Amino acid sequence: MRPHLALIEDEPDFALMCRSYLEHEGFTVTWAMDARAGKSILHESRVDLAVLDLGLPDGSGLELLRALRSTSRLPVIVVTGRGAETDRVAGLEIGADDYLVKPFSQRELVARIRAVLRRSQPPGSPRCCGSAHCASTRRPAKRLPTASS
């Protein structure tokens, strides 16, 4: 099953470019242009990860992240033009799993999404990261020696 992403981004050209690339890379993407629509998607759909812009027309992405964190552990990657250290630290401290400053490459976004999904799913999960490589390279963990062995 393809991982389902919520893309909450108000810039249509950027969102369409991201959605097209992410779908090509094996993800299902639902796009919301504002915080209200983003909340609706997150509430009504089974989403595996949210890609969240901070500068939304009807509210702060940080406020949406704060509200989400009060009820959910859903992985969130912030994508924004706000690159100051204080912005990055605030986003991560509020609960973002990763923070990516625009402009960035689509390949980097995909790599970060897959990394966050790998860390957030139980080992061996078939929805691990959307990559065939991930599922095919999983190995059982080796037992560590104990003091009695």
Side-chain angles (χ1 to χ4, degrees):
M1 186 176 268
R2 296 164 56 114
H4 184 192
L5 309 178
L7 174 61
I8 305 168
E9 166 65 57
D10 66 320
E11 297 175 31
D13 292 340
F14 181 78
L16 292 173
M17 178 183 63
C18 284
R19 183 173 71 180
S20 175
Y21 193 85
L22 292 168
E23 288 174 345
H24 179 266
E25 290 295 316
F27 299 97
T28 298
V29 180
T30 303
W31 173 38
M33 290 187 67
D34 56 35
R36 182 187 49 77
K39 285 178 193 175
S40 177
I41 289 168
L42 295 173
H43 180 70
E44 297 171 7
S45 302
R46 185 180 186 285
V47 174
D48 298 300
L49 181 142
V51 177
L52 174 64
D53 184 20
L54 296 185
L56 300 172
D58 63 341
S60 164
L62 285 177
E63 290 305 315
L64 179 55
L65 177 58
R66 185 176 283 115
L68 180 63
R69 279 295 168 254
S70 70
T71 61
S72 173
R73 294 177 51 123
L74 178 74
V76 176
I77 296 177
V78 167
V79 293
T80 183
R82 299 179 191 175
E85 179 184 15
T86 54
D87 293 319
R88 294 189 316 265
V89 169
L92 293 166
E93 286 182 344
I94 289 172
D97 295 282
D98 204 348
Y99 193 106
L100 195 52
V101 178
K102 296 175 186 174
F104 52 82
S105 78
Q106 298 299 308
R107 288 181 60 201
E108 181 178 6
L109 175 61
V110 168
R112 288 174 181 264
I113 289 169
R114 288 185 174 145
V116 170
L117 286 173
R118 271 194 309 272
R119 289 191 303 265
S120 67
Q121 298 296 320
S125 171
R127 296 182 67 131
C128 176
C129 67
S131 164
H133 170 77
C134 182
S136 68
T137 59
R138 289 250 185 240
R139 295 186 183 135
K142 291 183 179 181
R143 262 194 110 115
L144 295 176
T146 61
S148 61
S149 42

